[in-house]
Amino acid sequence: MPTITPSLWFDNNLEEAAQFYVSVFPNSSIEKVNRYTDAGPGTPGEVVSAIFVLDGNRFIGINGGPQFRFTEAVSFVVMCRDQQEVDHYWNRLTEGGEESQCGWLKDRYGLSWQILPERLHELLDDPDPARAAAATAAMLGMRKIVIADLEAAVRDG
């Protein structure tokens, strides 16, 4: 089976972004940074592309300039075991970024992430339609997903 690797287009801040991402996720590293040489077409020494790994997932990045921007049409989902993980990723990825709703955020580079606890899906998939609806309503009112608030909404629902 072929390997599928996301390729991300940055506005000349790829190296900074890769360093930030590897500081956020465990088991992460920058594998390779490619720089322009005297042969061009860019300024010698400037980063043209890089390969980095985030918790075992490989990404390719290029410094393509401002022609294209990230949109919510593509996001990366981080499934979290517990509230501590949700809080960690939410807090780190919103540094210089912006919160959205329902567990979505944009980081300082404009890349969209969904920070979701596994418990959310358990509650949304509850066989009792009223409990699932209560979980959905609670989620829709949140920015960062708070597991205790979801569980209280289902319990009190």
Side-chain angles (χ1 to χ4, degrees):
M1 175 178 221
T3 301
I4 299 171
T5 305
S7 180
L8 304 174
W9 180 295
F10 289 89
D11 182 13
N12 299 315
N13 54 3
L14 164 60
E15 189 169 29
E16 174 189 316
Q19 289 170 350
F20 173 69
Y21 295 137
V22 301
S23 78
V24 172
F25 293 92
N27 307 312
S28 299
S29 63
I30 297 174
E31 285 188 354
K32 185 175 186 177
V33 176
N34 298 303
R35 298 178 186 281
Y36 287 112
T37 65
D38 289 334
T43 304
E46 285 187 0
V47 174
V48 63
S49 65
I51 298 171
F52 56 99
V53 177
L54 303 180
D55 201 14
N57 297 294
R58 179 176 270 159
F59 292 78
I60 296 170
I62 61 170
N63 269 335
Q67 290 88 341
F68 302 105
R69 301 278 183 208
F70 296 125
T71 73
E72 291 85 354
V74 174
S75 63
F76 294 101
V77 177
V78 180
M79 292 304 298
C80 301
R81 288 185 308 270
D82 53 31
Q83 191 66 49
Q84 183 177 354
E85 278 193 356
V86 169
D87 294 346
H88 167 75
Y89 292 114
W90 186 268
N91 294 338
R92 289 298 313 278
L93 291 169
T94 56
E95 290 173 7
E98 61 186 69
E99 298 180 357
S100 187
Q101 62 184 40
C102 304
W104 287 63
L105 63 88
K106 275 191 183 180
D107 68 29
R108 66 180 79 172
Y109 304 100
L111 191 58
S112 292
W113 299 84
Q114 296 178 57
I115 310 301
L116 305 176
E118 294 170 359
R119 184 71 175 125
L120 171 65
H121 291 289
E122 294 168 3
L123 293 168
L124 294 176
D125 293 338
D126 193 298
D128 179 341
R131 291 171 52 89
T136 300
M139 176 198 66
L140 291 173
M142 295 180 184
R143 289 184 177 270
K144 176 177 74 173
I145 303 298
V146 178
I147 297 169
D149 293 348
L150 287 172
E151 290 175 337
V154 169
R155 183 180 55 252
D156 300 340

